Amino acid sequence: MTVKSTTETRSTTASTTTRRAETPRAPEPVKTTPLDRRAQRNLQNLRGTSSFSSPSLQPVGATPAKFTTPVVAAKSPAEVEQRGFDAIKTIQDVQLGVLTRTEALAAANEKVKASETTLAEHLKHLEHALSTEELQAYADDFRADEPAYAEATAAAQELASYVADNTGRLAQAEADVRAYHPQPEAYETVMQGAPLTRRALEDAALALEEHVALSPTGSPELKETLSGISAGTVSMGAAVAEQVAGVAELIPRFKSLAERAGGAFGVVGGLVDGKTFLDRVLKDGQPEDYAGLAASGVLVTQGVMKVAGVAVSAPVSLAAGAVSLVASGVGAWRDNEARVADMSARLAELGIDSAVAETISRGNPASFGELAKAGFSPEQVQRLATLGESWLLSTHESDATYFARATASLGLTPEESVRLLERLGPDLASSAGHTLAALDAGGAKSREAILSMLAIPNGVFGVSEDTRVALLRELEALR
């Protein structure tokens, strides 16, 4: 039996002690505070990803902490007065913003008026040379090319949005001046206060009403914006709120306008009669103007005009212009080369031959009207315009009247009259039409009288023998 030395025993004991020290001890269990029911429910809903920290929540069954209102330091008199001064600045800023945007819209409205007046003049010129569908297509093309309409739409939306964003703020500022400014009466007399504010909003409403009346398409976006205009809730006592009622009183006007803003020319929704509406919006309507419009075949209905069956929103002052279009003859039209070029290009875009388009553009609209009275259709007028430089469409309207009467005396329908000239061809058609007109003007009022005159060699002054013979041959063939 071997007995270990004392030194070996101590070495073994020390080694054992060292190994025991190196063995990690098991962690003690963590004591958690139970979650309240709200946190437990949230934790369950989030499937273990709750952002609630259990130590920060009250234990289940714990007494809730008592809520206390934070203490706010009372404002000094100077701070109270500053609110009144700040309100004045707000009012001035909003007034300036409304005024500048109103001026921009008013300027854009004037451009639309000018464009609509030009369009109405074009339509009046073309009303008997184009079909209703072609006239509407011409108007659509004209408006699509004119930047004035898009500019006015953008300006109206900008003004309406600004009013919608600031009306409640403005009403509150008016109340703050009266409640906090040290001398609210001085503000009223020197700065004009609410009256100036009201005038700015009234001018804005008028400009928007005019835009809606002039818009050929309407704007759903503008309708929505106008519908949302509100004075808000003024956080003052009832007595003070009554003093700023001037702002709130205009709100129904904007909302009423919203009902019409979504439709063309503002005709959607209940409108007043056309004359009253035009008088109010355009401000220059006179009874004699309406009489002139009626005489020119321009209709006023529901606040818009119809020229040649196409709705336009031109000012009522167009009445005189519409009358003059019929009475002035061809001279004024020939002198306006820019108008001729514009109309010719648009007619060509509609698919009309460029030469025909120019003949129509240079023609006398009164001559077109005389042919229309005799039963000639727009399509037939266009066919006449294909016969070279048409004398029939480009001279005084009396020549068109004489021609129509002569063909009627010959027993020809408008279609037969056009075919007669088409058979003669471009070289003779113009002089043949002039010959028939001259015979009617000279007293040949029957078929027999006209044929008798044509049977005489050189019997019609100023008519070539080629024209006389060819015309007589075609008419005898129609017996």
Side-chain angles (χ1 to χ4, degrees), residues 393-437:
L393 302 179
S394 301
T395 57
H396 195 272
E397 59 269 18
S398 60
D399 289 318
T401 303
Y402 297 146
F403 170 78
R405 284 202 317 225
T407 54
S409 297
L410 289 167
L412 303 180
T413 65
E415 177 61 24
E416 290 171 334
S417 301
V418 174
R419 288 180 181 175
L420 169 66
L421 297 182
E422 287 176 333
R423 285 196 301 271
L424 290 169
D427 294 336
L428 298 177
S430 181
S431 60
H434 176 65
T435 299
L436 292 176

Side-chain angles (χ1 to χ4, degrees), residues 102-349:
T102 299
E103 290 173 358
L105 177 55
N109 285 343
E110 290 303 314
K111 291 181 181 179
V112 172
K113 285 183 186 180
S115 295
E116 285 288 289
T117 300
T118 299
L119 174 59
E121 292 171 348
H122 287 197
L123 293 172
K124 190 65 184 170
H125 179 93
L126 298 168
E127 65 176 328
H128 300 302
L130 301 184
S131 66
T132 302
E133 293 76 16
E134 288 173 326
L135 287 166
Q136 186 61 62
Y138 185 96
D140 294 341
D141 181 72
F142 179 95
R143 287 167 175 151
D145 287 345
E146 286 293 319
Y149 299 94
E151 290 175 9
T153 299
Q157 184 60 41
E158 172 67 20
L159 174 58
S161 297
Y162 188 83
V163 171
D165 292 342
N166 290 279
T167 306
R169 179 172 166 235
L170 189 59
Q172 181 62 59
E174 292 284 1
D176 286 352
V177 170
R178 290 165 176 79
Y180 301 112
H181 196 279
Q183 292 181 309
E185 65 283 354
Y187 169 73
E188 287 294 334
T189 57
V190 177
M191 303 299 294
Q192 294 184 301
L196 183 58
T197 299
R198 184 183 179 92
R199 280 201 301 273
L201 291 176
E202 285 178 340
D203 289 345
L206 181 60
L208 286 165
E209 286 174 342
E210 190 170 50
H211 167 74
V212 168
L214 291 168
S215 174
T217 58
S219 170
E221 184 182 11
L222 180 61
K223 177 180 180 179
E224 182 179 357
T225 302
L226 290 171
S227 299
I229 292 178
S230 168
T233 303
V234 180
S235 57
M236 302 304 303
V240 176
E242 288 177 1
Q243 294 176 353
V244 295
V247 175
E249 285 173 0
L250 290 171
I251 303 306
R253 184 170 176 179
F254 289 108
K255 291 189 178 297
S256 175
L257 180 59
E259 297 176 2
R260 306 195 300 270
F265 302 113
V267 297
V268 175
L271 272 184
V272 294
D273 69 274
K275 182 182 184 313
T276 302
F277 187 72
L278 285 173
D279 279 347
R280 187 182 74 219
V281 173
L282 302 173
K283 298 174 287 188
D284 63 345
Q286 300 296 329
E288 56 269 24
D289 290 334
Y290 292 95
L293 284 169
S296 303
V298 179
L299 304 178
V300 180
T301 175
Q302 288 190 301
V304 298
M305 293 177 173
K306 281 198 171 182
V307 178
V310 179
V312 297
S313 59
V316 291
S317 59
L318 173 65
V323 175
S324 68
L325 296 185
V326 177
S328 64
V330 69
W333 295 102
R334 278 183 170 168
D335 293 339
N336 193 341
E337 291 299 317
R339 180 200 56 79
V340 169
D342 185 20
M343 290 179 61
S344 298
R346 293 187 190 283
L347 290 172
E349 289 177 2

